[in-house]
Every structure is written in C-alpha cells, then in structure tokens.
Amino acid sequence: MSPHKTARLAFVSAVILLCLSGLAVYITIVRLLESEQWVVHTHEIQAALGDVNSAVAQAGRARSAYISTGETSSLDQFEAAVPEVPKVIQRLQELTKDNPSQQERCARLGEVTQRRIDLFRDSIKLHQASPKNLQGQADISRDGVVFASETNSIIQQMRDEEQELLGVRVQRSNRLFTLAILILSGTFLLALIMFSVHYWLLSVELTARGKAERISRDSEESMRRLTGRLLQLQDEERRKFSRELHDSLGQYLAGVKMNLDMFSSTQPSDRLLSEAIQLLDQSISETRTISHLLHPPLLDEAGFASAAKWYVEGFAQRSGIEVKTDLPDSLYRLPKPIELGLFRVLQEGLTNIHRHSGSSKAEIALKVLPGKVVLTVHDYGRGMPLEMLTTFRANGTNSGVGLAGMRERIRELGGQLDIQSGETGTLISVTMPLHERAGTAQVSAAD
C-alpha cells in the first residue's frame, strides 16, 4: 500500500474511532445524568420525610400551646398546620411511586399521621369542653406517644431504604463518571496516536514528494545544461563543417574548375566539357552557399548586421518572400554568443515562415536598448494553431525541434522568447540582455 493510501486509511480510522468514542461518551454521559437524577430523587424523598415530621411536629406544638395557654392564636396555628400534613404525605407518595415497598410504608404513614391529627383534635375538644380534665389529656397523650413512635419507625424505615438506594445510586454514578473519564482519555490517546501516525505518513509522503521535485528540478536543470551544451556543440560543428566545405571541398572544386578551364582552351567546341564546367560552377556556388548557411563568415568578421543582411537577401531570392529589414545603421559589435543566438533565431524564424506560414512578406527589426537588444520576426500568414501555441507557452512541447531549440538557446543566454500568433500572422520577439557589453565587445574585436 502506498504511503498516501496508508495516511488516508489512518486518517479515516482516526475519524471513525473518534465518532464511535464520541457516541460511547454520549451514551455514558446520558446514563450518568440519569443516575445523578436518581441521586437527586433520593435526596428529595429524604427531604420530604423530614417535611412530614416537621408538619406533624408543628401541629403538635400548636396543640400543646393551646392546651397550656388557651390562646386562640395557638388554635389558629394548629388549624393552619393541619392541612399541610396531607400535602407533604401526598408529595411523598408521588416521589415514591416507583418503589412499591415505599408506597406501602407511605400509606401506613398517612394513616398513622391522620390518627395523630385526630388525637390532637380530640385533645383540643376535651380542653374546650373540660379545661381541667387532666386525666383525659394524659390518656390522649399516651395514645399519641404510641402513634408518634409508630410514625418515627415508619419514617426511619423509609430513610434506611432510601439511604441504601442512595449508596447504590451514588456508586453507580461514580462508576459511570469513571467510565466516561476512561473513555475520553482512551479516545484522546488513541486519536493522538492515529493522528501522529497520519502526520508521520504525511510527512514521509511530503518528504518523498519534495525529494522527487528536487530531483525533477535537478534533472530539468541538467537537461537544460545538456541542451545548451548540445546547441554549443552544434554551432561548433556547423562552423567546422563550414570551414571544411570552404577550405577543403571548395578548394578542390576550384582546382578542378581551373584544370577544366585550361583543358577547354584546347577543346573550345566540346559541348560536354562546357556543360561539366557549368555544373562545376553551380556546385562551387552551392558549396559556398551551404558553407555560409552553416556558419556565415560575415558573422565572425563583420557582426550580426552584415550577416543578417546577407542571409535575408539570399533567403528572399531563394523563397520569393519579400523581407523588409529594419537594422540600426551603426550597430556596434555585440557579444559573440548574443550575435550567434540572434542569427540562429533569424534563421529559424524565416525558415518557419517559408515552410508553414504561407505569408508572402515578412519584417525583421532589431532594436538596441539600454542593457538589452530586441529582435522581432513578423509574418502575415495563417498563424500557429491555438493549442500548439498554448502548449508551447506552458511547457515548450509539441512545437517542433526548431522552436524548442530556439527557446533553449535564448534561455541559456538569459534572454526571453515571446510568440504572438493569430489569424493575421505571427510575431516572434526575442529579448537578450547585454551584460558586460564593453568588455565583450573588446574581446570580440580582438578575436
């Protein structure tokens, strides 16, 4: 499995684990909240039991105060406290409706508290009818003690059971809380591990990609240097072939022509000999033309302007294309690599016009600006296909060997190539920097 797929798998696994862990934490927290609600519910029941005791005790205190003082305010307090007892009993019944045993005790508690309230009323009525009947009050008090003891017993039983339930519920709540913490901690650690693995795999992939890009850039740079070297070797070979054609083959042909001329003076009426001399003249002319096209001597001897004018004149005669030139009248010698690069661009541009454009005329212009020189080759033909032009601008492919070589040659010299093409023709513009122009010109002149 590739590092990219492994990193993606690690990331997806981390996300899935986080989702599952989040679901587990959600369920655990929901159950924890439910457990906490039951704990609160137990505390509410215990508080309600206390309210029962408090309500009955308040009614008993008001009854005792009335028996002792006979004040109507105490009787009013008793009448106000009595209705509260059924209310707290009713609330207690609602709170314990989920527990059948507590419901049963709550029913008994309601009966006992009602008997106590009835005894309180009997005591008040006895006091109102016979204030000095102490024996009757004592009998009622003894019966009240029995009911009070039974009430406390029931309440205590209910408290004990709720306390036991409270312990179980608190323990369960603590377990759920601990489980939630463990799940969260485990999820965090697991997610941290998975994301660390994902980060490591991603770093490995990025490192490999960066290394591949560096290798690609190095390869591209090496390819450019190789292309530049090949172009340089090509120019050297062209110069060598040009000299060989001019100095060797050209001299041999010239010698043969001299001998034939001497021989023809003895045979003036020989038709075949005349034709051979004519063909030899054409061969000498073609050899000289090929030699000059490979590497014109004017380029080394007089510079770009003279070589360009000679080449344009010959091109116009051979192709029948009208070529207009706009060259500076007094052009100083440019650096040799610049002159050679400009001449090769001129050659390639005019060759493409002759082969592909279908234009009947062309324009050549050279401008020397501060720090740079600009050469333009303009035709009025059919133009380049849009797809080819776009591809060439993007990466220099699908444009033929000529344009690609032109581009690499200009790039090697630090210049820029721009091609504008449409239905009205094509404009090739080349800009070359002129670094250390004076020193280079001196060297060129010395050469």
Side-chain angles (χ1 to χ4, degrees):
M1 185 178 294
S2 65
H4 180 70
K5 291 183 178 179
T6 306
R8 181 181 298 176
L9 178 61
F11 178 77
V12 172
S13 300
V15 172
I16 292 175
L17 287 174
L18 280 178
C19 293
L20 294 177
S21 301
L23 179 61
V25 170
Y26 172 76
I27 295 174
T28 304
I29 290 177
V30 169
R31 295 177 63 183
L32 177 61
L33 293 176
E34 292 177 354
S35 179
E36 289 294 329
Q37 290 177 355
W38 281 112
V39 171
V40 172
H41 179 70
T42 302
H43 287 296
E44 290 178 347
I45 292 175
Q46 291 178 340
L49 289 172
D51 292 340
V52 172
N53 259 336
S54 177
V56 175
Q58 186 176 358
R61 287 193 297 271
R63 166 256 178 193
S64 299
Y66 177 72
I67 298 300
S68 300
T69 62
E71 295 180 355
T72 57
S73 59
S74 298
L75 183 60
D76 293 337
Q77 292 177 1
F78 174 80
E79 295 296 339
V82 168
E84 295 299 321
V85 176
K87 291 181 181 179
V88 295
I89 295 293
Q90 179 64 31
R91 184 169 182 273
L92 185 61
Q93 287 177 338
E94 292 177 355
L95 292 173
T96 59
K97 62 184 179 180
D98 60 302
N99 192 330
S101 60
Q102 291 289 65
Q103 282 279 289
E104 183 180 349
R105 294 189 185 98
C106 188
R108 286 170 48 202
L109 181 62
E111 295 175 359
V112 174
T113 53
Q114 185 59 45
R115 290 180 182 179
R116 292 184 65 186
I117 296 298
D118 292 340
L119 286 177
F120 293 158
R121 292 189 182 277
D122 292 341
S123 177
I124 291 173
K125 292 179 180 179
L126 180 60
H127 179 72
Q128 291 175 345
S130 178
K132 295 186 178 188
N133 188 355
L134 299 179
Q135 184 61 40
Q137 293 294 342
D139 294 338
I140 292 175
S141 296
R142 282 194 300 271
D143 294 337
V145 170
V146 175
F147 290 122
S149 176
E150 188 175 357
T151 300
N152 292 334
S153 176
I154 295 173
I155 291 177
Q156 188 60 43
Q157 290 176 9
M158 296 182 71
R159 285 184 185 276
D160 292 341
E161 182 167 347
E162 290 300 326
Q163 190 64 34
E164 183 179 354
L165 291 174
L166 178 62
V168 173
R169 289 166 179 172
V170 169
Q171 186 178 5
R172 181 172 181 271
S173 178
N174 291 336
R175 285 200 305 268
L176 290 173
F177 179 77
T178 304
L179 179 61
I181 295 298
L182 291 176
I183 292 176
L184 286 174
S185 301
T187 301
F188 176 77
L189 292 176
L190 188 59
L192 184 62
I193 292 172
M194 296 300 293
F195 279 114
S196 298
V197 172
H198 177 261
Y199 175 77
W200 177 75
L201 293 173
L202 188 60
S203 299
V204 170
E205 182 181 357
L206 291 176
T207 302
R209 182 176 297 179
K211 184 177 179 180
E213 289 177 354
R214 286 194 299 272
I215 293 174
S216 177
R217 288 195 297 268
D218 294 340
S219 300
E220 184 178 355
E221 186 63 27
S222 299
M223 185 62 69
R224 287 179 180 176
R225 289 196 297 267
L226 178 60
T227 303
R229 179 59 179 165
L230 289 176
L231 292 173
Q232 183 181 358
L233 292 175
Q234 183 186 56
D235 291 332
E236 293 177 359
E237 289 298 317
R238 283 183 174 183
R239 185 182 289 109
K240 179 181 177 181
F241 290 154
S242 175
R243 288 177 180 176
E244 290 293 333
L245 286 174
H246 183 272
D247 297 339
S248 181
L249 181 61
Q251 296 301 323
Y252 294 152
L253 292 175
V256 172
K257 184 176 184 304
M258 291 175 60
N259 292 334
L260 288 177
D261 286 339
M262 293 174 61
F263 182 72
S264 65
S265 63
T266 61
Q267 302 289 335
S269 61
D270 194 332
R271 183 177 58 84
L272 294 178
L273 183 60
S274 300
E275 291 179 356
I277 293 174
Q278 185 179 0
L279 290 175
L280 186 60
D281 287 336
Q282 294 178 357
S283 299
I284 293 173
S285 177
E286 287 295 328
T287 301
R288 185 182 299 111
T289 300
I290 293 173
S291 173
H292 287 185
L293 288 177
L294 285 173
H295 189 84
L298 285 175
L299 190 63
D300 294 331
E301 296 170 1
F304 173 77
S306 298
K309 290 178 181 178
W310 166 84
Y311 180 78
V312 168
E313 290 177 359
F315 173 81
Q317 291 176 0
R318 291 189 300 272
S319 64
I321 297 175
E322 179 185 355
V323 182
K324 180 181 179 182
T325 59
D326 182 9
L327 302 175
D329 296 331
S330 57
L331 179 64
Y332 53 80
R333 291 300 303 271
L334 301 173
K336 282 187 177 181
I338 299 295
E339 288 187 333
L340 180 58
L342 292 175
F343 185 78
R344 295 305 182 201
V345 170
L346 176 64
Q347 277 186 308
E348 184 63 31
L350 291 178
T351 300
N352 288 337
I353 291 174
H354 177 59
R355 290 178 178 176
H356 307 295
S357 72
S359 177
S360 60
K361 59 180 180 178
E363 295 179 359
I364 308 297
L366 180 71
K367 294 181 181 180
V368 180
L369 304 175
K372 62 182 179 180
V373 59
V374 180
L375 173 67
T376 57
V377 180
H378 190 196
D379 69 71
Y380 299 90
R382 63 179 63 95
M384 295 176 60
L386 180 60
E387 182 179 357
M388 178 185 294
L389 182 61
T390 303
T391 305
F392 176 75
R393 288 175 177 174
N395 49 32
T397 58
N398 296 333
S399 55
V401 178
L403 286 178
M406 183 191 303
R407 184 176 191 173
E408 291 303 322
R409 185 187 297 275
I410 295 170
R411 181 180 294 173
E412 185 70 19
L413 295 173
Q416 294 180 348
L417 170 66
D418 181 53
I419 299 179
Q420 304 291 332
S421 185
E423 296 179 355
T424 58
T426 301
L427 174 64
I428 299 176
S429 176
V430 175
T431 303
M432 295 283 197
L434 296 177
H435 301 303
E436 303 179 359
R437 184 183 61 194
T440 308
Q442 291 176 1
V443 172
S444 300
D447 292 342

